[in-house]
Amino acid sequence: MSSTPTATETLDVKGQSCPMPIVKTKQAIDDLEAGDVLEVVATDSGSMSDIQGWAEGTDGVELLEQVEDEDLYIHYVEKTA
């Protein structure tokens, strides 16, 4: 049984490098309601630290989990406010 958060929306930023995964994550989060979870699927290994840093420095979002799956980096971000 997986403990992976259930995503409300999925954002595909595969093939894009910094800063686009962060820019598109912010845009997608802005369109969600509080309590919604955004799944961000990236191929840029730098997105692991970039999204973590963005979430830590941004009010109203929480990074729930990050998963590295071969060449994919999957992030679960909840809009909290």
Side-chain angles (χ1 to χ4, degrees):
M1 184 112 188
S2 175
S3 63
T4 301
T6 301
T8 307
E9 296 284 335
T10 298
L11 176 64
D12 182 348
V13 291
K14 294 189 295 264
Q16 299 181 33
S17 57
C18 188
M20 291 315 295
I22 295 295
V23 171
K24 293 196 173 188
T25 297
K26 183 195 179 310
Q27 290 171 342
I29 282 287
D30 287 347
D31 291 339
L32 296 179
E33 301 293 326
D36 287 350
V37 175
L38 179 66
E39 175 186 54
V40 182
V41 182
T43 51
D44 178 14
S45 62
S47 69
M48 295 296 276
S49 60
D50 292 344
I51 290 181
Q52 181 177 359
W54 171 79
E56 289 173 355
T58 303
D59 290 335
V61 298
E62 179 182 353
L63 180 62
L64 300 176
E65 185 174 0
Q66 293 182 300
V67 178
E68 187 174 342
D69 184 16
E70 296 184 19
D71 293 331
L72 291 180
Y73 303 92
I74 305 167
H75 316 273
Y76 294 91
V77 182
E78 180 180 7
K79 183 169 186 175
T80 58

